[in-house]
Amino acid sequence: MTDSKTRPLFSERSLRRMRLITGLIMLVFVALHLSNHALNLVSLKAAEHGRDWFLLIWRNPLGTLLLYGAALVHVVLVMRAIYARRTLVMPPREAVQIVLGLLIPLLLIEHVVGTRLRHEIAGLNDNYEFVIRSLWIESPANGVKQAITLVIVWIHGCIGVHFWLRYRQWYAAAAPFLLTIAILAPVLALLGFADAGRVLASEPVQSSFGSGYGAAKHRLAQDLAAQQTVDHVRYALYGGFGSMLIGVVALRSYRRWRERADQIAIRYPEGQTVRVPRGFSVLEASRLGGIPHYAVCGGKGRCSTCRVLVIEGAEDLPAPDATERNTLRRINADADVRLACQLRPQSDISIVPLLAPALEANLPPGTQEANPGREQEIVVLFCDIRNFTALTEAQLPFDIVFLLNRYFAIVGHAVEQSGGRVDKFIGDGAMALFGLRGTMDAACRSALRASALIARQIEQLSKELAPDLGVPLRVAIGIHTGTAIVGTMGHGNVKNLTAIGDTVNVASRLEAVAKELDVTLVVSEPTVRLAASDMTDLESREINVRGRAEPLRAYVVPQETVGRFA
């Protein structure tokens, strides 16, 4: 373990949280600013009244400290993050976010100096009349620049929020509404600004509700001392930001020069060896060496998709920090499994990426497929034809294909009609997923409804084909709900969204129990509880599931009763 004397004051996790919090503070400011601009669509007077409330929040000592403190801390943390990166090879989305973040201070300094700073130093009343006349009428080029700045700031913030929330269970349902807000906010703000500019362009300079634009411009021109102070602060802000950026580049260059003679080797299972300076993470080494490596969370330790199995050199590795330790504990990882994004070896090691698509050379380095895998609460349904061998042993091959296609159509329509998704057909069996979208209680009810539709339509098909079948056509269904890994899996063109894990295994086991007990449906107690179904008149059993220490309680539903769920 790291000695407490050498332990950093702030952990990586706390610094990332601080960067998120400061970014959210600035995003709230921008959102309120855009809303205030949009009030110009009502009237300039309405926007001025809204500005009074806006200034009440942000132009007081506490609001000023919160906003500008957040901006300063955020910029410093971004600079630190750029320095901490051992390689600038990264997925495009990360590069776009960094470039936008670096552009924002350069674009915003002029606006801050022209409004807030002039207000504080020269006593300027930077109301909407003054700002709109300055940008819309007097200097349209600056107006376009500020409009671009507004859009860039908003996009940068929205991208950050998206990557923060994208793996929350509720986010998929909320995303369309959030996207609508993200689009409408800057559009309405720019329309309001343009509408106010059009109105002011047709009015005399001294408006009835303004502070006197001409007088304000004259006072600024005459107050040379204040103007010089404003200019000095402007140059200081540009110089400070530029110095920070140049300093980061210089420090990175110096570190790279120092590290050329102090490198370690990271060996991969296909024979590749990547030599990197000591202190690089394994994920950074993969990206630098052009080796495909999953990293869904962007290398922040929030997921385990970048995990690797350490084959050689594990004894000399640094201990996991709190972020890595918590993630590894969640997945019950073995002692020799580490997160590539957090592991920074100090000596040569050999590793095997556990989720990296090593055989797919066409995957760009440092990227990942859509939905490569994440934990999610789902409902799994397994369905199988009972006594399929006896049913088909006297049938012609084409007749068997006809029967299976009718069966698959029944299962597919029932699942889709109930709001589920057919995962796969395996022989005479089928697997379906519910709860990929929406709530778990609704997903459980949908799975039960699908089982009832399947049983009813299979019974009708059995009657229809009775003259050609030696025995009745019946199915066995198992349903269970729980946590599974849901993601895109497969190879080449044969890739599908599927689920793996204990929940899938249990559902398959319940389907086998339905066959053993000669009933249509066996459904787990957690599914029944979430669906709020009345099962008091049905038999319940303790089912032993391989790999589980405790038996699972499940309800046994015969053919004549399963229709209650339709």
Side-chain angles (χ1 to χ4, degrees):
M1 295 296 290
T2 305
D3 191 275
S4 60
K5 295 181 180 179
T6 61
R7 187 176 299 163
L9 182 61
F10 297 105
S11 67
E12 288 294 326
R13 185 176 183 181
S14 63
L15 289 175
R16 283 196 296 268
R17 186 179 293 114
M18 195 180 302
R19 196 167 78 184
L20 172 65
I21 292 172
T22 55
L24 289 175
I25 291 171
M26 291 186 291
L27 187 62
V28 170
F29 172 83
V30 174
L32 294 176
H33 202 37
L34 294 177
S35 302
N36 205 167
H37 284 356
L39 286 176
N40 281 296
L41 290 172
V42 179
S43 69
L44 189 57
K45 194 170 184 179
E48 288 292 350
H49 286 313
R51 178 175 171 273
D52 291 339
W53 288 99
F54 179 80
L55 296 182
L56 184 65
I57 298 173
W58 300 107
R59 280 199 184 173
N60 62 74
L62 180 60
T64 298
L65 178 63
L66 186 65
L67 176 61
Y68 291 99
L72 178 60
V73 170
H74 195 75
V75 170
V76 170
L77 290 177
V78 168
M79 292 294 180
R80 180 193 175 277
I82 294 174
Y83 171 75
R85 278 185 172 273
R86 308 307 287 247
T87 172
L88 295 180
V89 179
M90 66 188 82
R93 63 170 179 79
E94 293 183 31
V96 169
Q97 186 74 335
I98 289 175
V99 170
L100 291 179
L102 292 177
L103 283 176
I104 287 171
L106 294 174
L107 295 171
L108 275 182
I109 285 174
E110 192 64 39
H111 182 65
V112 173
V113 168
T115 54
R116 181 66 184 268
L117 196 62
R118 283 185 171 181
H119 169 77
E120 298 293 343
I121 296 176
L124 171 71
N125 183 6
D126 55 329
N127 59 9
Y128 269 109
E129 181 188 4
F130 181 87
V131 173
I132 292 174
R133 286 190 183 278
S134 297
L135 298 179
W136 181 265
I137 301 172
E138 185 176 292
S139 182
N142 282 337
V144 172
K145 177 184 173 183
Q146 292 306 316
I148 293 173
T149 302
L150 195 70
V151 173
I152 288 177
V153 172
W154 184 247
I155 290 175
H156 177 76
C158 290
I159 291 175
V161 169
H162 168 71
F163 286 114
W164 170 45
L165 298 177
R166 59 181 172 158
Y167 292 119
R168 304 296 196 276
Q169 287 192 2
W170 55 266
Y171 183 63
F177 302 99
L178 296 177
L179 179 61
T180 301
I181 295 172
I183 293 172
L184 284 179
V187 169
L188 293 176
L190 293 175
L191 287 176
F193 195 82
D195 187 62
R198 180 184 56 81
V199 171
L200 286 176
S202 63
E203 291 184 354
V205 169
Q206 182 71 37
S207 71
S208 58
F209 46 81
S211 61
Y213 174 77
K217 293 292 289 186
H218 179 74
R219 186 169 61 253
L220 284 174
Q222 295 299 315
D223 194 345
L224 296 179
Q227 187 61 47
Q228 287 179 350
T229 304
V230 169
D231 290 338
H232 290 158
V233 175
R234 177 192 290 110
Y235 300 145
L237 290 174
Y238 278 121
F241 179 75
S243 299
M244 290 176 66
L245 192 55
I246 293 172
V248 169
V249 173
L251 288 172
R252 286 182 59 88
S253 301
Y254 175 71
R255 182 181 63 192
R256 186 173 181 182
W257 175 74
R258 290 278 309 266
E259 289 173 340
R260 284 179 179 174
D262 186 22
Q263 294 190 334
I264 61 171
I266 299 178
R267 292 180 288 272
Y268 292 79
E270 297 301 310
Q272 309 101 315
T273 298
V274 179
R275 299 196 66 83
V276 294
R278 198 184 311 273
F280 266 53
S281 72
V282 173
L283 178 62
E284 288 168 336
S286 298
R287 290 175 171 176
L288 191 63
I291 298 172
H293 206 140
Y294 283 140
V296 172
C297 69
K300 298 178 177 62
R302 298 177 190 158
C303 72
S304 65
T305 55
C306 70
R307 64 185 183 270
V308 297
L309 178 67
V310 181
I311 304 299
E312 296 178 4
E315 62 277 2
D316 297 323
L317 293 178
D321 63 9
T323 298
E324 183 181 7
R325 192 165 56 248
N326 291 337
T327 301
L328 292 174
R329 186 185 299 121
R330 284 189 62 211
I331 63 172
N332 297 317
D334 294 333
D336 50 0
V337 173
R338 298 293 298 271
L339 297 185
C341 66
Q342 304 297 308
L343 175 58
R344 299 182 182 275
Q346 299 300 308
S347 57
D348 297 353
I349 62 169
S350 296
I351 56 98
V352 176
L354 296 180
L355 294 183
L359 299 178
E360 302 182 37
N362 59 332
L363 186 65
T367 63
Q368 57 273 333
E369 299 285 327
N371 198 3
R374 62 187 175 108
E375 284 188 339
Q376 184 174 349
E377 292 284 329
I378 60 170
V379 183
V380 181
L381 179 150
F382 269 91
C383 179
D384 199 20
I385 298 178
R386 289 159 56 183
N387 302 317
F388 183 70
T389 303
L391 278 169
T392 59
E393 60 185 5
Q395 301 290 324
L396 295 174
F398 286 109
D399 293 340
I400 296 174
V401 172
F402 168 79
L403 174 61
L404 284 176
N405 282 333
R406 291 289 301 274
Y407 161 68
F408 292 152
I410 287 173
V411 173
H413 290 156
V415 168
E416 292 171 359
Q417 183 179 340
S418 302
R421 183 182 187 276
V422 176
D423 179 276
K424 62 175 68 71
F425 294 111
I426 310 170
D428 62 318
M431 172 180 165
L433 307 178
F434 298 81
L436 298 175
R437 298 288 185 271
T439 61
M440 287 305 298
D441 53 350
C444 292
R445 289 191 291 271
S446 296
L448 291 172
R449 187 182 310 114
S451 68
L453 293 175
I454 292 170
R456 184 175 63 194
Q457 293 177 27
I458 287 294
E459 186 176 18
Q460 294 173 356
L461 180 62
S462 179
K463 293 177 181 178
E464 178 185 333
L465 301 179
D468 301 315
L469 300 175
V471 293
L473 184 64
R474 294 189 297 170
V475 293
I477 302 172
I479 300 176
H480 182 53
T481 183
T483 303
I485 302 298
V486 180
T488 303
M489 305 178 200
H491 172 72
N493 295 325
V494 189
K495 290 185 178 178
N496 296 291
L497 184 70
T498 188
I500 58 173
D502 180 66
T503 299
V504 178
N505 299 334
V506 172
S508 178
R509 171 61 182 144
L510 294 181
E511 178 261 319
V513 171
K515 281 185 177 180
E516 296 168 5
L517 299 178
D518 195 27
V519 295
T520 298
L521 171 65
V522 173
V523 54
S524 66
E525 191 273 338
T527 306
V528 172
R529 185 177 64 251
L530 285 172
S533 297
D534 183 11
M535 296 285 192
T536 54
D537 59 331
L538 295 178
E539 176 188 0
S540 66
R541 294 197 176 200
E542 299 286 340
I543 308 296
N544 291 316
V545 180
R546 186 174 58 185
R548 278 177 165 249
E550 299 293 332
L552 174 69
R553 177 165 294 278
Y555 288 89
V556 177
V557 186
Q559 174 70 28
E560 59 272 15
T561 309
V562 72
R564 67 167 63 179
F565 304 121

